[in-house]
Amino acid sequence: MTMVENPTPYDDINGLIAQLLSEVRQIFGDRLAGFYLFGSLVTGDFDRGSSDIDLVAVTSTEIDEKEFEALRRMHEDFAVKNREWEGRIEVAYLSAAALKAFKDRRHRMAIISPGEPFHVIEAGKDWLMNWYTVREKGVVLLGPSPAALIPPISKEEYVQAVKEYALLYHERIHRLPVHRPSQAYAILSMCRVLYTSRTGEQVSKKQAALWAMKEFPQWAALIQQALVWRDEWRDEQVDHAAALPQTQQFIRFVVDP
């Protein structure tokens, strides 16, 4: 098995990841087939003040109830010990068999993600964008190359998944969260949709935003605001609802430019 000793440029985050990996290995032992880092720490433009730490753990067999409870308790304790990162760590747990067949069938996946407790979901092809990132750019913390566990995903499949992601946003446009950081996430995500749709490539939200500001100057002011809102997530002295109509308009433009 291969492993990267310092997967990020940040010593404290490397220590945090090593601590989490140690806890997960205590629960699964030799049945932990792989542990991978992805997200903004890998694709670029990680922001210590707002970005999440994204990880996936692959097990050799399905997770049973006893292991689920052990993971739930571990994540609760981990959050208490690492208050700075509470609510900003996402770890998905699924079996190698589930990952191999994700295009064809939905499988149970345990996950803890920002704003949600540790729980179980049904994951399938809707996770293609994530698995594409892990396969192409994921950093090995334990186990083989992610390409050994994740089936091939073509660039065309990835671009199509990105477009479908935009359509989902459009369908839920009247239920968008009003909170400005949530609007910022939507705007910057749509910038990445535009970039990927045009180029077929994957970049960070910030890189896509800077590109979109040049390509679509009529939206440059809104995109610039989104970059600021992302950094001002603690600022409550603003009128969050005032910006919502323009955010919704931008989503409509991305889906039907």
Side-chain angles (χ1 to χ4, degrees):
M1 288 188 175
T2 58
M3 181 175 176
V4 175
E5 292 295 331
N6 296 299
T8 81
Y10 311 99
D11 290 340
D12 60 328
I13 294 178
N14 292 337
L16 189 82
I17 292 172
Q19 178 189 348
L20 186 56
L21 173 56
S22 176
E23 298 277 0
V24 174
R25 292 185 77 175
Q26 286 184 36
I27 293 173
F28 291 110
D30 293 339
R31 291 176 49 251
L32 183 61
F35 201 65
Y36 305 95
L37 174 70
F38 66 111
S40 58
L41 276 166
V42 172
T43 59
D45 294 318
F46 177 79
D47 187 320
R48 290 186 64 92
S50 59
S51 296
D52 303 325
I53 297 174
D54 300 287
L55 299 153
V56 57
V58 184
T59 56
S60 59
T61 59
E62 292 289 336
I63 299 171
D64 60 30
E65 290 302 318
K66 182 179 179 181
E67 290 162 342
F68 177 87
E69 284 302 313
L71 288 168
R72 183 186 61 76
R73 291 192 299 270
M74 182 273 289
H75 278 293
E76 288 178 352
D77 292 341
F78 195 83
V80 170
K81 295 174 184 175
N82 301 279
R83 290 294 190 188
E84 179 186 357
W85 297 99
E86 184 178 5
R88 293 175 55 200
I89 293 179
E90 177 171 299
V91 189
Y93 299 87
L94 76 167
S95 71
L99 190 55
K100 184 177 181 180
F102 84 91
K103 292 184 186 180
D104 303 314
R105 298 188 302 277
R106 300 180 70 81
H107 293 82
R108 282 166 52 88
M109 182 171 77
I111 186 169
I112 184 165
S113 55
E116 296 181 320
F118 189 62
H119 62 296
V120 173
I121 64 173
E122 294 286 327
K125 200 171 181 180
D126 50 327
W127 274 70
L128 185 145
M129 289 192 300
N130 300 75
W131 303 148
Y132 181 85
T133 304
V134 176
R135 194 178 196 278
E136 297 297 319
K137 299 184 178 182
V139 174
V140 178
L141 304 173
L142 181 144
S145 163
L149 298 173
I150 302 172
I153 302 170
S154 70
K155 187 172 290 188
E156 291 74 20
E157 287 178 301
Y158 173 67
V159 172
Q160 182 59 35
V162 169
K163 292 178 179 179
E164 290 173 2
Y165 172 78
L167 288 174
L168 282 176
Y169 251 109
H170 188 264
E171 291 172 4
R172 302 167 184 166
I173 199 166
H174 295 296
R175 302 197 301 274
L176 281 179
V178 175
H179 196 223
R180 284 206 317 191
S182 297
Q183 292 187 57
Y185 183 88
I187 293 166
L188 299 180
S189 294
M190 292 301 102
C191 289
R192 193 151 65 177
V193 168
L194 286 170
Y195 184 90
T196 299
S197 298
R198 289 287 185 93
T199 69
E201 302 297 331
Q202 182 186 56
V203 293
S204 70
K205 291 186 183 72
K206 184 176 181 180
Q207 289 171 313
L210 296 175
W211 171 87
M213 288 169 67
K214 294 179 181 178
E215 291 292 317
F216 307 99
Q218 69 272 35
W219 296 106
L222 178 68
I223 296 168
Q224 180 60 49
Q225 285 180 326
L227 291 170
V228 173
W229 295 343
R230 187 178 66 166
D231 296 331
E232 294 181 348
W233 60 275
R234 292 184 178 88
D235 186 2
E236 296 297 330
Q237 305 304 312
V238 294
D239 185 353
H240 295 272
L244 188 58
Q246 195 175 15
T247 298
Q248 292 170 326
Q249 188 178 356
F250 181 60
I251 294 172
R252 293 188 185 98
F253 167 77
V254 172
V255 173
D256 187 17

